[in-house]
Amino acid sequence: SSTTSHHLVLLHGAAFTKEDWKTSGILQSFCRQHVTVTALDLSVQAKHKELIRVLDALASETLRDGGAPLLSSFPVTGLVTPSASGSTILDGIMTGQADVLKEMIRLWIPVAANASLRYSVEELSNVKGWPILAIYGDQDPAGKKSSELWREVASATVVELKGRHPVYLDSPVEFVETIMQLLGELPHPDLL
């Protein structure tokens, strides 16, 4: 049996950078579990087209030593969008590009994506059928509300961890474990 290789792309919230994934130990934790991780410094103001351009560039760009592309193929296993970076995906959903995003990203992981609260269930309904793992901190009422909205809209798996709005920094071990558990439940890409 072949092993499934996972590739996660990590964005960050407005008050953070891609370095926070490293200093928190999250990047190393995923790598220890044989997950390929790309942390990006994409502006939280970025539109979905910028995200698509970056993912396309990663798929065509090769490592300096002439190795394989940084992204081996689409769809990537998961896209983690903490807080304000969730607006990038929301822009795609609101402009009718949800299907394009679903083709590029198998699992969307919004972490307290409070920008979701600006939209109605009807406006967000384009994401039905897209696996979503919504994570929030137990000290973040808006994060809970936005995560519950995703449960209502798209039958998202919703997980509460101990922590504030940037819950991944407060509960990094549990954050990685939660994502790894859901990755293990995703159907193998060859079966899709």
Side-chain angles (χ1 to χ4, degrees):
S1 72
S2 64
T3 58
T4 304
S5 63
H6 296 296
H7 191 135
L8 292 176
V9 176
L10 310 177
L11 302 185
H12 58 76
F16 302 99
T17 70
K18 68 180 183 180
E19 291 303 313
D20 292 291
W21 293 113
K22 190 174 183 182
T23 57
S24 67
I26 290 172
L27 205 62
Q28 298 87 330
S29 292
F30 280 126
C31 290
R32 278 194 297 275
Q33 298 193 50
H34 308 289
V35 173
T36 303
V37 182
T38 303
L40 299 176
D41 266 332
L42 191 66
S43 165
V44 296
Q45 305 298 320
K47 302 297 183 200
H48 76 281
K49 288 181 181 178
E50 292 172 68
L51 174 63
I52 289 170
R53 265 197 303 277
V54 169
L55 293 176
D56 277 338
L58 287 172
S60 60
E61 182 113 355
T62 56
L63 299 172
R64 284 194 190 106
D65 65 5
L70 297 175
L71 269 184
S72 56
S73 65
F74 288 117
V76 296
T77 310
L79 175 70
V80 179
T81 61
S83 188
S85 64
S87 297
T88 305
I89 295 291
L90 289 166
D91 171 65
I93 294 167
M94 292 301 111
T95 57
Q97 298 300 305
D99 288 340
V100 173
L101 293 167
K102 288 180 203 177
E103 288 175 16
M104 297 183 85
I105 303 157
R106 289 181 63 210
L107 171 68
W108 178 32
I109 307 167
V111 182
N114 298 345
S116 312
L117 298 173
R118 292 186 225 139
Y119 304 102
S120 70
V121 170
E122 293 75 29
E123 288 175 305
L124 298 173
S125 64
N126 290 340
V127 299
K128 286 186 178 152
W130 193 13
I132 296 174
L133 169 60
I135 302 173
Y136 69 94
D138 63 354
Q139 298 166 40
D140 182 9
K144 178 176 183 171
K145 192 172 180 183
S146 67
S147 297
E148 292 297 335
L149 175 63
W150 287 114
R151 183 190 321 262
E152 181 181 348
V153 169
S155 302
T157 300
V158 176
V159 176
E160 176 187 88
L161 301 175
K162 291 194 181 305
R164 302 161 294 143
H165 185 61
V167 68
Y168 51 98
L169 297 178
D170 291 339
S171 294
V173 171
E174 296 80 2
F175 181 77
V176 170
E177 287 172 353
T178 297
I179 292 174
M180 289 305 299
Q181 180 179 345
L182 196 60
L183 292 183
E185 296 169 7
L186 282 176
H188 192 280
D190 295 341
L191 302 176
L192 296 176

